Amino acid sequence: MMEPSMTSGAGERPLPRFFVQWRSEWGDQAADWTPTDYLNQQSSIGPTIAAGWLFNPATVEYRGGVFLAERFSAPNVDEWFERYPNEPSRIESVVNAVVLYDYFVNSDTDPYEDALPGLAADIGACWQGILTLRYPKLAIHVEVADGTDDAEYGPSVTFWTRHDGVAPRI
């Protein structure tokens, strides 16, 4: 009999420090606990439900592009099209760019710094799958940055549709 094979993007990276610390506080009985055990707390239910909007965002189709509804403004996009009329992918990538620090402006992210690049990768994987299913006739490209490049503000995710087969210049 063959053993089942399990693959998970999250399982391929180290557990975040905050989780390892939390688990260690529970003693030996918690040695095999996973991050989903961490979610099994009353205080985690609301934030976990709200995170659904992060992993499965509403989108808007406009002027041949796809945009995050939460970040979309028709006048803003129109202004970008006036400046870069032949670069719709570039416009999408700029409008759709999400830096994770912007979600946590009222929080101390220091205890989670080791986990934020993984969160960005997870969001990117979800966006790729969801956007591909939602827009099967479009070539969606999702880009994740881990925030380690000096030019980056922090871990980020963006996406665009490939109108000409070439990645945008940002």
Side-chain angles (χ1 to χ4, degrees), residues 10 13-22 35 111-116:
R13 65 178 183 263
L15 293 170
R17 283 189 309 259
F18 80 89
F19 171 76
V20 173
Q21 174 63 37
W22 172 83
Y112 308 99
E113 286 301 316
D114 66 318
L116 290 177

Side-chain angles (χ1 to χ4, degrees), residues 86-97:
N86 300 318
E87 300 184 61
S89 295
R90 179 181 188 183
I91 296 164
E92 286 173 299
S93 89
V94 169
V95 172
N96 292 327

Side-chain angles (χ1 to χ4, degrees), residues 148-162:
T148 58
D149 185 312
D150 288 341
E152 298 167 347
Y153 168 54
S156 64
V157 186
T158 191
F159 69 89
W160 63 86
T161 54
R162 294 197 124 171

Side-chain angles (χ1 to χ4, degrees), residues 17-99:
R17 283 189 309 259
F18 80 89
F19 171 76
V20 173
Q21 174 63 37
W22 172 83
R23 183 173 68 182
S24 71
E25 293 169 4
W26 287 91
D28 291 340
Q29 81 268 12
D32 62 347
W33 286 4
T34 68
T36 54
D37 294 302
Y38 182 82
L39 294 176
N40 188 18
Q41 301 177 70
Q42 186 65 36
S43 62
S44 295
I45 296 170
T48 302
I49 291 168
W53 277 264
L54 183 62
F55 291 98
N56 182 12
T59 53
V60 174
E61 284 186 86
Y62 184 72
R63 294 185 71 159
V66 176
F67 300 93
L68 292 171
E70 190 172 286
R71 301 180 62 82
F72 178 75
S73 159
N76 181 42
V77 171
D78 289 340
E79 187 176 309
W80 279 102
F81 269 102
E82 286 177 27
R83 292 174 67 190
Y84 304 102
N86 300 318
E87 300 184 61
S89 295
R90 179 181 188 183
I91 296 164
E92 286 173 299
S93 89
V94 169
V95 172
N96 292 327
V98 172
V99 178

